[in-house]
């Protein structure tokens, strides 16, 4: 399978990144921290970084998103930002009364060498940071997230791992590492709130107790309220994170991360003996079967009837709609985990993902596509650590029938007059991004309908005679 690299970009004359196909590590960390109950994401860095992250996540989820900041300015950059960090933590504790503050660094504070772990350690344990009413202070969890070291997906996974590292405990008796409490840790990666709800339903359908880490399905897709809540309800309870070391197993969906980033599932396996299963994002029949087979193994139960019915309806939809999608081509871009799932799914329905592009830097995407969809060998160009200049060059060369990815591809789709099917993060120019489902048989059904109908609409719109059967 052909793979081009960033060194090839330099060889071709490119010396800069133009509209990167990724976002920054602190953004991913902020999203991950928002999925833990009673938690405030906090950036130790400049105010602008927090504003950028708020803007992206609020636009995508259409929900309030508080990202606190230590507001490091010129003086703190020169003399150190510990005083800013201390004051920021005190203010967040006073205003929000959180259970946890998730502290992520930025490029600025990483570059000047701030010892954030040491600074947080000098603030003392929670019981020494009590509020005037005697309430213990919040847990302080730190994750280093310099954006030049990785992507928003890397920041997401790193924040989850840091949280688990700080809070997870072994089995309750303290003597049998890995003794199961019957639960399954589900580490979902960056998916929609609709996907999170479906994952919970799917795992519970096998009689297992799902523990999603993190789970922002309520905090970032809530109900209308009469009054603004400083800390919205929902998220993975911290007591559940503490219990993750006693789970029957951990399942990571995706987990293609830059070298040096540790997955929480690997940490739980190493520290507490919790078996870890890493699967591709379950998009389509082939990859969802891998997940449901694993759930059957863990539960010793067959697939629930409702799920089997969804699988059967999806196959029937493939049969009905194959004439609209077969032998088409697409350019797919976005997070590595989602691009991998989509590429395997597209091959399943007869569309060739001629270019699979990502800003990720794991170096494993091409091999994973070849492993999971060997029929694509020799038909796919995989481009990693890329930007939209290079994606545009590839799209102009092959003239695909579709672009599939997030809203940052809109300008390219408009320029080339190629329809864009919006998936992933961020989706800024459509409503309902948080409700776009990708995972499971149900998610594949919805994606299949959207892709097939987009191709039908494009054919109608570009035809001189239109479509007469109506």
């Amino acid at each position: 399978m052909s793979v081009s690299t960033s060194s090839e970009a330099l060889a071709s004359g490119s010396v800069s990144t133009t509209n990167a196909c990724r976002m920054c590590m602190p953004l991913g960390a902020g999203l991950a921290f928002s999925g833990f109950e009673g938690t405030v994401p906090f950036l130790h860095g400049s105010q602008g970084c927090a504003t950028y992250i708020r803007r992206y996540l609020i636009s995508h989820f259409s929900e309030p998103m508080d990202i606190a900041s230590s507001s490091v300015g010129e003086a703190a950059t020169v003399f150190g930002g510990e005083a800013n960090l201390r004051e920021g933590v005190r203010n967040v504790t006073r205003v929000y009364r959180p259970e946890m503050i998730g502290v992520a660094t930025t490029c600025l504070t990483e570059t000047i060498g701030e010892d954030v772990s040491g600074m947080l350690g000098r603030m003392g344990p929670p019981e020494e940071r009590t509020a005037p009413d005697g309430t213990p202070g919040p847990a302080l969890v730190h994750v280093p997230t310099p954006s030049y070291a990785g992507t928003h997906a890397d920041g997401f996974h790193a924040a989850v791992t840091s949280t688990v590292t700080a809070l997870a405990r072994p089995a309750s008796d303290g003597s049998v590492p890995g003794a199961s409490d019957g639960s399954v840790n589900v580490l979902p990666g960056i998916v929609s709130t609709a996907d999170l709800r479906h994952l919970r339903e799917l795992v519970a359908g096998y009689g297992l107790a799902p523990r999603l880490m993190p789970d922002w399905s309520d905090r970032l897709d809530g109900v209308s309220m009469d009054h603004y809540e400083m800390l919205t309800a929902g998220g993975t309870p911290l007591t559940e994170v503490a219990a993750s070391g006693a789970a029957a197993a951990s399942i990571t969906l995706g987990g293609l991360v830059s070298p040096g980033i540790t997955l929480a599932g690997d940490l739980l396996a190493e520290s507490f003996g919790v078996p870890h299963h890493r699967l591709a994002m379950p998009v389509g029949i082939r990859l969802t079967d891998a997940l449901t087979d694993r759930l059957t193994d863990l539960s010793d139960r067959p697939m629930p009837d409702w799920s089997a019915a969804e699988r059967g309806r999806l196959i029937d939809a493939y049969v009905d709609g194959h004439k609209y999608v077969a032998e088409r081509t697409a350019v797919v871009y976005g997070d590595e985990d989602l691009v991998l799932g989509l590429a395997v799914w597209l091959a399943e329905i007869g569309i060739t993902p001629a270019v699979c592009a990502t800003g990720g830097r794991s170096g494993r995407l091409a091999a994973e596509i070849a492993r999971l969809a060997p029929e694509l060998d020799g038909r796919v160009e995989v481009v990693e650590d890329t930007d939209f200049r290079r994606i545009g060059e590839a799209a102009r060369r092959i003239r695909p029938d579709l672009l599939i990815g997030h809203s940052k591809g809109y300008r390219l789709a408009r320029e080339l007059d190629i329809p864009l099917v919006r998936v992933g993060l961020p989706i800024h120019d459509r409503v309902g991004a948080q409700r776009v489902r990708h995972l499971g048989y149900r998610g594949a059904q919805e994606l299949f309908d959207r892709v097939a109908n987009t191709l039908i609409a494009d054919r109608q719109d570009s035809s001189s005679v239109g479509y007469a059967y109506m």
Side-chain angles (χ1 to χ4, degrees), residues 434-451:
Q434 67 274 41
R435 293 184 289 275
V436 175
R437 206 183 329 259
H438 313 80
L439 304 187
Y441 309 120
R442 191 181 302 170
Q445 177 70 79
E446 294 176 7
L447 276 179
F448 182 80
D449 291 346
R450 290 175 62 207
V451 165

Side-chain angles (χ1 to χ4, degrees), residues 42-47 68-74 76 84:
F42 186 110
L43 286 193
H44 183 42
S46 67
Q47 184 64 249
S69 171
S70 57
S71 299
V72 172
E74 290 85 349
N84 293 54

Side-chain angles (χ1 to χ4, degrees), residues 93-94 97 126-138:
T93 301
R94 175 177 54 82
R97 298 293 178 91
E127 56 272 19
E128 294 180 8
R129 292 182 273 105
T130 56
D133 63 0
T135 305

